[in-house]
């Protein structure tokens, strides 16, 4: 095994998955938002909801397309860079990914065309049904992808074959692995928060220039409502997921909190400088006893430290420690923004507070940053295993040289830096233009329906 090829393969996959997760984390929430907008328009007849729907539909189409392309790239990488993993684990992971295609991608692809191009060609009920089915499809897709990844985090329901591979012995245990429920809820809420922050930022930007823009004011209030409700729920979901990590991946938890000694009354390190060679933190800003309470629900609970694991079995500590704090810090900021906006809504209108509008614009990208930080915690914290406790990452890489991986990595960097950055900039430009009054004719009424 070429250690440089391993490092480059990990960097390449990390780069492509970080780029890819930007789009699903946005489109999952945006698809549901579009379904809500169309439903509100059909129920109330308010043209503002129609205007918002047609505007965000264009953003959704571009984001969905880029998400599909970046996802396909990762599928090829599993064969080119991680062929040993693919050979050994495909009897378990392969069907889960196939289920995602059959139950989610086919559903999305089938009804996306009606959603995008059937506005004046089908009845309102059918068009709304298409929007709902696309939204449901994105959630089903998240279900299977998180199921596959959660199995890699907490494998269950499998056995080793004589040839050295893995095979499923209990599909229900594979699909609903121990870490799956909490992680699915955590990711779904993250997607809704990401969408709410983008919609809020785009609306706030428009209101800074025109405080009387009705569509942007409505979208801003909807985003505030989502933040005010979902951000605190995300804190709870994250706590549940973290407590599961203590039992399922104790080395990851120790890295997240920079715990070195196994002890009760662990402190909570707000900030620290972990030193893996010295097996200690060079300096700490800590709250005594709070670490055990946060991670185990009891200040007197004993929590395993990193010294309980051999050095070669420990994840990269500094990366996991600081990525987790970025995620949590931004989550607390989202709770604060949602609370601030709700307070302003009760007192007359958030669209009139320029300080709040600027804060909302600044918070627009934080959902993406938080999602990427969370996935860094999940994936880097799982190291040195690609399947926790079963298959090491070093044993899963393809038998290729560093030169070959370098060439493909440079190629990916060049392509992503041009095509996809242009796409992202176009989406941002489209968002900056804001919703305008919709001039499209509404879908025709079904035969016999009341106008």
């Amino acid at each position: 095994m070429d250690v440089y090829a391993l490092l480059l393969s990990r960097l390449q996959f990390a780069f492509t998955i970080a780029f890819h997760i930007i789009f699903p984390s946005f489109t999952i929430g945006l698809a549901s938002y579009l379904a809500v907008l169309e439903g509100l328009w059909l129920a109330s007849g308010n043209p503002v909801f129609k205007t918002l729907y047609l505007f965000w539909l264009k953003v959704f189409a571009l984001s969905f397309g880029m998400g599909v392309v970046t996802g396909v790239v990762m599928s090829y990488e599993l064969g080119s860079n991680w062929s040993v993993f693919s050979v050994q684990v495909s009897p378990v992971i392969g069907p889960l990914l196939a289920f995602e295609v059959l139950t989610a991608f086919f559903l999305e692809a089938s009804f996306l065309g009606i959603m995008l191009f059937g506005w004046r060609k089908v009845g309102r009920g059918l068009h709304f049904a298409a929007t709902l089915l696309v939204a449901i499809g994105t959630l089903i897709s998240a279900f299977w992808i998180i199921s596959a990844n959660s199995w890699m985090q907490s494998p269950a329901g499998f056995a080793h074959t004589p040839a050295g591979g893995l095979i499923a012995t209990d599909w229900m245990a594979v699909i609903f692995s121990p870490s799956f429920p909490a992680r699915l809820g955590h990711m779904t809420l993250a997607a809704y928060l990401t969408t709410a922050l983008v919609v809020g930022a785009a609306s706030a930007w428009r209101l800074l220039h025109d405080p009387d823009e009705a569509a942007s004011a409505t979208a801003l209030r909807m985003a505030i409502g989502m933040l005010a409700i979902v951000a605190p729920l995300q804190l709870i979901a994250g706590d549940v997921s973290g407590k599961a990590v203590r039992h399922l991946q104790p080395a990851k938890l120790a890295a997240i909190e920079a715990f070195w000694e196994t002890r009760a009354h662990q402190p909570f390190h707000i900030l620290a400088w972990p030193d893996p060679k010295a097996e200690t933190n060079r300096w700490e800003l800590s709250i005594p006893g709070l670490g055990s309470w946060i991670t185990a629900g009891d200040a007197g609970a004993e929590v395993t430290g990193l010294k309980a694991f051999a050095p070669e079995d420990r994840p990269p500590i500094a990366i996991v420690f600081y990525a987790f704090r970025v995620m949590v810090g931004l989550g607390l900021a989202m709770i604060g923004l949602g609370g601030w906006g709700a307070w302003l809504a009760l007192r007359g209108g958030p669209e009139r507070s320029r300080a709040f509008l600027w804060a909302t614009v600044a918070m627009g990208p934080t959902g993406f940053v938080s999602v990427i930080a969370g996935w860094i915690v999940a994936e880097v914290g799982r190291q040195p295993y690609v399947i926790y406790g079963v298959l090491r990452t070093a044993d899963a890489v393809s038998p290729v040289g560093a030169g070959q991986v370098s060439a493909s990595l440079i190629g990916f960097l060049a392509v992503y830096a041009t095509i996809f950055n242009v796409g992202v900039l176009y989406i941002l430009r489209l968002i900056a233009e804001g919703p305008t009054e919709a001039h499209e004719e509404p879908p025709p009424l079904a035969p016999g329906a009341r106008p």
Side-chain angles (χ1 to χ4, degrees):
M1 187 269 296
D2 188 334
V3 293
Y4 295 106
L6 171 63
L7 176 61
L8 290 170
S9 292
R10 290 181 64 189
L11 286 174
Q12 180 171 308
F13 201 80
F15 167 75
T16 51
I17 196 172
F19 224 108
H20 170 68
I21 197 60
I22 290 174
F23 301 105
S25 64
F26 182 42
T27 54
I28 290 171
L30 189 56
S32 296
Y33 179 57
L34 287 170
V36 170
L37 288 173
E38 187 167 9
L40 289 173
W41 173 61
L42 290 175
S44 67
N46 188 340
V48 168
F49 296 122
K50 174 186 164 186
T51 298
L52 288 170
Y53 177 88
L54 292 173
F55 168 69
W56 287 106
L57 181 61
K58 294 181 288 185
V59 178
F60 174 80
L62 290 168
S63 302
F64 186 87
M66 294 181 71
V68 169
V69 174
T70 52
V72 170
V73 169
M74 291 192 301
S75 299
Y76 284 109
E77 283 185 295
L78 290 177
S80 62
N81 294 66
W82 304 99
S83 60
V84 178
F85 166 83
S86 300
V87 169
Q88 293 190 12
V89 187
S90 58
V92 180
I93 294 292
L96 298 183
L97 299 181
F99 294 155
E100 190 266 340
V101 173
L102 290 173
T103 62
F105 188 72
F106 280 6
L107 183 65
E108 295 166 335
S110 298
F111 290 93
L112 183 63
I114 298 175
M115 183 181 173
L116 295 177
F117 307 113
W119 183 254
R120 291 182 288 179
K121 297 179 176 63
V122 299
R124 296 182 182 186
L126 178 56
H127 192 275
F128 180 50
T131 303
L132 282 175
L133 289 170
V134 169
I136 292 170
T138 62
L139 293 172
I140 296 174
S141 179
F143 175 95
W144 288 113
I145 296 302
I146 296 299
S147 175
N149 187 265
S150 295
W151 182 82
M152 294 167 64
Q153 303 283 346
S154 53
F158 72 98
H160 292 271
T161 66
L166 304 177
I167 189 171
T169 57
D170 184 346
W171 278 110
M172 293 302 291
V174 170
I175 295 170
F176 298 97
S177 61
S179 64
F180 169 70
R183 297 185 74 240
L184 177 63
H186 197 42
M187 182 62 207
T188 303
L189 292 175
Y192 287 144
L193 282 172
T194 299
T195 300
L197 288 163
V198 172
V199 171
S203 304
W205 177 259
R206 294 294 303 173
L207 290 168
L208 283 167
H209 297 83
D210 183 4
D212 297 318
E213 190 172 87
S216 293
T218 300
L220 177 65
R221 287 174 178 264
M222 295 177 73
I224 289 171
M226 181 63 75
L227 283 172
I229 295 171
V230 175
L233 290 177
Q234 181 70 309
L235 184 65
I236 298 171
D239 180 66
V240 172
S241 182
K243 285 179 170 58
V245 169
R246 176 181 174 234
H247 300 289
L248 300 172
Q249 296 174 295
K252 177 190 286 188
L253 178 66
I256 286 172
E257 301 296 347
F259 294 155
W260 291 96
E261 305 293 339
T262 299
R263 50 172 286 193
H265 301 283
Q266 290 276 19
F268 174 68
H269 302 310
I270 301 172
L271 290 174
W273 188 262
D275 187 340
K277 292 184 179 180
E279 297 187 328
T280 187
N281 297 326
R282 288 296 182 183
W283 58 266
E284 306 169 340
L285 177 61
S286 307
I287 302 175
L290 186 60
S292 289
W293 183 80
I294 289 177
T295 57
D298 180 2
E302 182 177 272
V303 181
T304 305
L306 285 162
K307 288 184 179 180
F309 306 94
E312 63 271 18
D313 294 335
R314 300 170 188 169
I317 301 158
I319 296 174
V320 178
F321 179 83
Y322 280 104
F324 181 79
R325 274 144 187 79
V326 169
M327 179 183 66
V328 173
L330 291 176
L332 294 175
M334 294 171 199
I335 293 174
L337 185 68
W340 185 10
W343 180 76
L344 289 172
L346 293 174
R347 293 178 60 86
E351 59 272 11
R352 300 297 175 181
S353 171
R354 293 187 67 83
F356 175 77
L357 294 177
W358 278 115
T360 305
V361 171
M363 286 288 291
T366 57
F368 300 111
V369 177
S370 185
V371 166
I372 292 173
W375 277 99
I376 289 173
V377 173
E379 298 303 292
V380 178
R382 186 181 58 200
Q383 300 304 316
Y385 296 99
V386 67
I387 302 176
Y388 193 76
V390 177
L391 178 63
R392 288 180 176 267
T393 307
D395 297 329
V397 70
S398 297
V400 295
Q404 295 169 293
V405 183
S406 298
S408 62
L409 176 57
I410 293 171
F412 278 120
L413 289 171
V415 171
Y416 277 59
T418 52
I419 298 176
F420 290 106
N421 282 341
V422 169
V424 170
L425 289 174
Y426 180 73
I427 291 173
L428 291 174
R429 180 179 177 182
L430 188 64
I431 290 175
E433 292 176 357
T436 56
E437 184 177 355
H439 298 291
E440 290 88 344
E441 290 296 324
L445 293 173
R450 295 174 60 186

